[in-house]
Amino acid sequence: MASTRRMELENMSHDDRPAIPPRISHRRLLQGLAGITLVLVLTVTLQVTDFLGKRPGLPWLQLVAMIGSLLLMTPLLFSLTKRSSLSASPPFWFAAHVLASMAGFVFVSLHVAAGRLLSMPGVLYVLLLFLIYQGIVARVFLSRQFSHQFGSRETSFTLTTTTRHELAGIIAAKTHLLKRLDPQADEALFSPNLKHAVAHPLLTLSYARLAARESRLVGARRQAGRALSLWRRLHILVALLFVFGIIVHVLTVTFFAGYVAGGDAVYWWHLATWGGET
């Protein structure tokens, strides 16, 4: 049954397939990686020479940091749209996620160049560097393994007579469950998203478990290799830590300006000076 599904997808005419906008090429990504490295060198140089006076909260630098932070939230929006029914063009959102991240990095680097790298905000900057480098390197150098993992050829899967019968049972269960979860969807192409999770949380969880069993059964993760299976989880984990850190940083400099200043004058825009000396 699984083989039949794959053959049907292979035999689809090009006219039947949805148009996919071109993705960012590997060459462009590598050029972006070189640009990010150049910005990093300039940032460290500005810090060492104290060119901006160690005052990252100056009005124009604070504004730059706000713009950069908003741009860096685009990947979060990309993640949400990708997992919902709002994303009509995932490649477009991926391109926006990459370009906005690079632009946000440039803006934030100006803010960081006036501060101290060996500080809590400096740790956030290091996390951002890791996300950009790890994301681009994985996209460029592991893309062939991704293609192998999601290839439709029979040799890309580890199927035996026993596993074929078990796989047929899983697909039948998924098809039955899909009639209640999304009657209009095709089991061969369906993937649950946030809309399904909100409307039918238990059904979505059950379907996801069946899909995970199917993935393990065909050996998709074994074909991908350990590095390929872990890099995406690591990327998401570090991204969540970064977003959490940005939120904490914004809240502290806005409402706990006295604590952040550490006894010095609060010269940046803020709403409260909680945490300062009374």
Side-chain angles (χ1 to χ4, degrees), residues 195-208:
K195 181 184 71 174
H196 300 104
V198 172
H200 307 285
L202 295 180
L203 291 177
T204 302
L205 180 61
S206 298
Y207 193 94

Side-chain angles (χ1 to χ4, degrees), residues 1-268:
M1 186 177 295
S3 300
T4 302
R5 290 195 305 153
R6 287 194 297 275
M7 291 177 62
E8 290 175 352
L9 293 176
E10 287 178 345
N11 293 331
M12 287 177 61
S13 66
H14 291 287
D15 294 334
D16 295 331
R17 296 174 182 174
I20 299 178
R23 300 176 183 270
I24 299 178
S25 67
H26 289 175
R27 180 181 178 182
R28 296 294 185 188
L29 288 174
L30 289 174
Q31 289 174 345
L33 193 63
I36 292 298
T37 303
L38 178 60
V39 172
L40 174 60
V41 172
L42 291 175
T43 301
V44 174
T45 302
L46 290 174
Q47 275 201 354
V48 172
T49 58
D50 199 15
F51 184 79
L52 297 177
K54 298 297 182 186
R55 293 174 69 85
L58 290 174
W60 74 276
L61 285 173
Q62 193 173 21
L63 178 61
V64 163
M66 291 178 182
I67 296 174
S69 298
L70 289 176
L71 286 170
L72 291 173
M73 292 300 107
T74 304
L76 179 61
L77 184 62
F78 163 69
S79 180
L80 292 175
T81 55
K82 184 175 66 173
R83 290 165 174 80
S84 68
S85 58
L86 302 177
S87 179
S89 177
F92 168 80
W93 279 104
F94 172 76
H97 141 245
V98 173
L99 296 176
S101 296
M102 291 183 176
F105 174 78
V106 174
F107 280 99
V108 169
S109 293
L110 277 174
H111 181 65
V112 172
R116 298 188 307 272
L117 193 58
L118 298 178
S119 62
M120 287 306 296
V123 172
L124 295 179
Y125 190 69
V126 172
L127 290 179
L128 178 58
L129 279 170
F130 174 82
L131 285 171
I132 293 176
Y133 278 103
Q134 188 247 8
I136 292 179
V137 169
R139 189 75 185 187
V140 172
F141 297 104
L142 298 182
S143 60
R144 290 185 180 180
Q145 289 178 274
F146 270 118
S147 299
H148 181 69
Q149 177 183 0
F150 295 107
S152 59
R153 295 182 180 180
E154 182 79 14
T155 55
S156 297
F157 301 89
T158 55
L159 298 178
T160 64
T161 302
T162 302
T163 56
R164 285 178 186 275
H165 288 296
E166 188 174 353
L167 182 62
I170 293 175
I171 293 174
K174 287 174 62 182
T175 303
H176 177 74
L177 190 60
L178 194 57
K179 292 179 181 179
R180 300 168 57 194
L181 184 60
D182 193 339
Q184 304 301 321
D186 183 355
E187 185 274 329
L189 304 173
F190 176 75
S191 179
N193 55 43
L194 289 178
K195 181 184 71 174
H196 300 104
V198 172
H200 307 285
L202 295 180
L203 291 177
T204 302
L205 180 61
S206 298
Y207 193 94
R209 287 176 175 174
L210 288 171
R213 284 180 56 194
E214 181 182 16
S215 178
R216 288 193 298 269
L217 197 61
V218 300
R221 292 191 183 276
R222 291 192 297 273
Q223 292 287 344
R226 177 173 296 183
L228 187 58
S229 64
L230 292 180
W231 85 267
R232 181 174 174 273
R233 294 181 182 181
L234 179 62
H235 192 79
I236 293 175
L237 175 61
V238 176
L240 291 175
L241 289 175
F242 174 77
V243 171
F244 176 75
I246 285 290
I247 294 173
V248 171
H249 179 62
V250 171
L251 290 177
T252 53
V253 299
T254 304
F255 295 99
F256 297 89
Y259 169 78
V260 175
D264 296 331
V266 179
Y267 62 91
W268 60 87

